[in-house]
Amino acid sequence: EAAPDTTSFGAAISACEKASQWEVSLHLFAVLVTGKLKPNAITFGAAISACEKSWVWDKALQLFNAMAQNIVEHTTMSYNAAISACEKVGAWEVALQLFSDMAENGVETSVISFNAVISAFDSG
């Protein structure tokens, strides 16, 4: 019998994101973190995206900030999900700060990054 690993947790968290089940996604993430496995950029990104897609921006930002505490590098995907979460609630100041942080930290921006921060201005 195969034991769950970080990849299987990432797949499960991603499936929860697609099904708009952010609470289950966070539960799975908590099980991952409290177990012997280490979260990675993919599991963090999937959990952040699950919160973003369900308009739970405060949890998305908590997860985003927890990446540094867990020594996991932020990725374009994690920044985009966090910026999009801010955009959904009109938190343009936070979205703009995150976008600025991308450049400062050498994380590549994308069309999604630009569109999300521009949309945040429209929403705010």
Side-chain angles (χ1 to χ4, degrees), residues 87-108:
E87 174 251 321
K88 283 191 162 71
V89 298
W92 65 268
E93 298 98 339
V94 180
L96 184 59
Q97 183 60 57
L98 288 167
F99 185 78
S100 174
D101 290 347
M102 286 180 86
E104 286 179 26
N105 295 322
V107 178
E108 185 177 336

Side-chain angles (χ1 to χ4, degrees), residues 60-103:
L61 290 180
Q62 286 175 6
L63 286 164
F64 181 84
N65 292 328
M67 289 179 77
Q69 296 165 356
N70 285 276
I71 313 169
V72 176
E73 285 191 40
H74 290 111
T75 63
T76 301
M77 180 183 136
S78 64
Y79 269 106
N80 287 348
I83 292 168
S84 293
C86 294
E87 174 251 321
K88 283 191 162 71
V89 298
W92 65 268
E93 298 98 339
V94 180
L96 184 59
Q97 183 60 57
L98 288 167
F99 185 78
S100 174
D101 290 347
M102 286 180 86

